[in-house]
Each structure stands twice: as structure tokens, then as C-alpha cells.
Amino acid sequence: MPPCDGNHRLASTDERCQLIFDTHAHLDDEQLAGKTADIIADAKRHGVCEVLTVATTLASSFRSIELAETHSEIFAAVGIHPNSCQDASLAELDQVRQLTQHPKVIAIGETGLDDYWKFCSMDVQIDYFKRQIRLSHETGLPFIVHMRDCESQMLATLSESTQQGTLNGIMHSFTGTLQTARQCLEWDMHISFAGMVTYRKNDELRQIAAAIPDQRLLVETDSPYLSPHPERGKRPNTPALIRHTVACLAEARGATFEETAELTRRNALRLFRLETSNQPNQVGNG
């Protein structure tokens, strides 16, 4: 499969009718501090309707909610990132549980496992991950999964958690194997792709993206990280740049930009239970 070259025809904002849902950004990150209004305005100019800002700590959860309260286009996920578990406590996780009752909170995370940085023991990470999956089952909110250098531990933990019920989860910024993707799909999970799918060396990842069933595909930026080609390394990533990832997914799947944008947004609205309250003519006007 050829690389995404950044020269795709990107439809005008009017043609796109604002159809994109960025399902994973970190708008509270210090790289983006004080720029939220400009970031959202730029995103809207490039067809983005909604942005889910995803927390990494309890403090980040509060900041994410504050951003969501201030901007109608922003929704919040609350949770403890695996690389933050070593500084967290079960009391903080209980506060996260209380925050899930906020009307702008639509997901739990970012949770998961990370064996690359090794900031926290895997046993502790697994414990926090399982607790946040249980919180997903309790609340009905989807959980957002970070996975890095830990596919075997991840699959084992998810498999054990299926005993509690359906896994209403998102494999965020997916870079795993096709086998892992297929297993997660069997568990009723969604697969989300970020800027890495656009990188020239990632032919295999584009092939995996092409194999994901329509109803399970999501798109994200992971802003301010993972800027897509051709913007890689030029500046902090922002939701406006999601257009490059949408275009790359469209090319890989043999679809148009507009079809891919609409498909992934429709999937997000259904997953986050926003279908009735956030139709296109009601979003992005506040």
C-alpha cells in the first residue's frame, strides 16, 4: 500500500459540512495552554465539529472538564494514565468516579498499559487499568486504552475483563498488529487511528486501517503529539490537522474524504451516546 504523500485533495470546509470528530486530544497540555479558543476556531475552519479532550491525571481531569464547560465543541474524558499511576491514589480514582457524573464527561481515560517508559510497575498499571474498566461497566461510558510495548499483557488484561461484560473500549492511536486489532474487534471494541498512520514507513498500519469494519473505525489527533505527515515535526499537533489523517484513511480504504469523515463521526456520536443531542446543525454554534 503506497504511503500517504500529503497531496490528497482536501475538500473545502463548505464541502465537508463540518463532519469530523477528533476522538482524542490533550487540550489541557502545557504546549497548548491559553490557546484553546484559537485552536477550536482553527479546527472548525477545517471541518472539525467536536473534540474529546482526554485526561491523564486527576488534575488533568478537572482541567479537561473546565475546557468542556467553556467550549460547546469540547467534551471530556476523565481518568488516570498508566504512566501517572505511580503518583496516583485510590482516593483520586474515587474522585474520577465522581467526575463521571458531569454532563460533559463522555468517556473514561486515558487508561491502559505502558511497558516502554517503565514509570510505574506493570502490576500497579494493571490494577488501575482493571479498576477503570470496571468503572466503564458501572457507568456505561467507554474507556480509552493506551498501549505501548505491551500487547501480550494488554490482551491478557482485556480478556480477563470480558468476564465482567462487553468491553466498551477504544484502542487509541492504534499501532498494534492485525491479530491484536481483530481480537479487540471480537470483544466489541473500536479502533482509532492518529497521525502515525500517515507516516511513510507505516504501510502495514495502513493495511490494518483498511481492514477495520466501517462501524468500528475512529480517527483522532492525540494533540499536541503525533502530528501527521506532512506537518510532522513542524509544530504541536492540533485538531485542525486531523484532516491529513482522515485523508490518509480514506485513501487506504478506497473511500472519499467526506465518506470517511462522516463515517468516523457517526461512529463517535453513537459510541459516546451523543446522537440525539448533537446533530450537525446543533454542534459548534455555542
Side-chain angles (χ1 to χ4, degrees):
M1 183 169 292
C4 296
D5 61 12
N7 294 319
H8 315 285
R9 176 187 176 273
L10 299 183
S12 69
T13 301
D14 289 342
E15 288 176 307
R16 285 199 300 270
C17 301
Q18 294 193 323
L19 288 177
I20 308 173
F21 196 133
D22 181 355
T23 62
H24 196 114
H26 298 282
L27 298 181
D28 73 309
D29 189 276
E30 60 183 9
Q31 296 183 63
L32 307 179
K35 304 174 182 177
T36 306
D38 290 340
I39 288 169
I40 292 299
D42 189 34
K44 290 172 66 176
R45 284 192 295 270
H46 289 92
V48 179
C49 282
E50 302 93 0
V51 179
L52 176 59
T53 187
V54 180
T56 56
T57 64
L58 177 61
S60 175
S61 297
F62 279 111
R63 292 194 300 269
S64 296
I65 289 175
E66 183 178 359
L67 290 171
E69 289 176 333
T70 307
H71 299 272
S72 63
E73 302 85 357
I74 300 175
F75 294 87
V78 296
I80 308 294
H81 190 285
N83 289 331
S84 301
C85 291
Q86 79 282 359
D87 296 321
S89 67
L90 295 184
E92 290 183 343
L93 201 53
D94 189 58
Q95 291 186 67
V96 168
R97 174 178 282 101
Q98 296 174 41
L99 292 178
T100 62
Q101 301 305 308
H102 191 284
K104 292 294 295 273
V105 171
I106 61 172
I108 295 165
E110 175 175 352
T111 183
L113 303 175
D114 190 313
D115 202 32
Y116 177 81
W117 291 110
K118 302 183 187 300
F119 291 150
C120 181
S121 74
M122 186 56 64
D123 287 345
V124 172
Q125 290 185 49
I126 290 173
D127 180 52
Y128 273 75
F129 186 27
K130 288 180 177 178
R131 289 175 185 272
Q132 290 177 90
I133 294 175
R134 286 198 294 271
L135 182 56
S136 170
H137 282 115
E138 292 169 12
T139 62
L141 299 178
F143 61 97
I144 299 169
V145 180
H146 170 101
M147 177 181 71
R148 189 168 187 186
D149 289 2
C150 60
E151 284 189 70
S152 60
Q153 298 100 316
M154 175 63 66
L155 290 173
T157 305
L158 290 173
S159 179
E160 182 178 340
S161 296
T162 61
Q163 299 174 22
Q164 303 166 27
T166 299
L167 295 182
N168 188 22
I170 304 167
M171 298 302 291
H172 125 77
S173 188
F174 189 78
T175 57
T177 64
L178 179 58
Q179 181 180 0
T180 293
R182 285 174 172 165
Q183 180 60 74
C184 291
L185 290 168
E186 287 184 15
W187 288 328
D188 296 323
M189 300 181 72
H190 287 69
I191 310 294
S192 182
F193 293 91
M196 284 186 289
V197 77
T198 70
Y199 298 170
R200 293 184 180 278
K201 66 179 181 179
N202 282 344
D203 289 345
E204 183 177 355
L205 188 58
R206 284 185 284 277
Q207 292 171 357
I208 293 171
I212 302 302
D214 283 353
Q215 67 272 22
R216 299 296 180 80
L217 182 70
L218 298 172
V219 65
E220 63 174 272
T221 55
D222 203 15
S223 169
Y225 313 106
L226 304 180
S227 292
H229 177 79
E231 300 295 329
R232 187 180 183 185
K234 295 181 181 180
R235 60 169 180 168
N237 194 11
T238 62
L241 297 183
I242 199 171
R243 63 191 187 273
H244 298 293
T245 305
V246 173
C248 186
L249 287 174
E251 182 174 287
R253 295 170 65 84
T256 68
F257 182 102
E258 291 78 8
E259 288 168 344
T260 305
E262 184 176 5
L263 170 68
T264 53
R265 181 172 186 261
R266 186 167 63 245
N267 289 343
L269 291 175
R270 182 182 64 252
L271 175 64
F272 297 129
R273 298 184 296 185
L274 297 171
E275 289 177 302
T276 58
S277 60
N278 289 278
Q279 296 304 316
N281 64 345
Q282 294 177 295
V283 176
N285 297 320

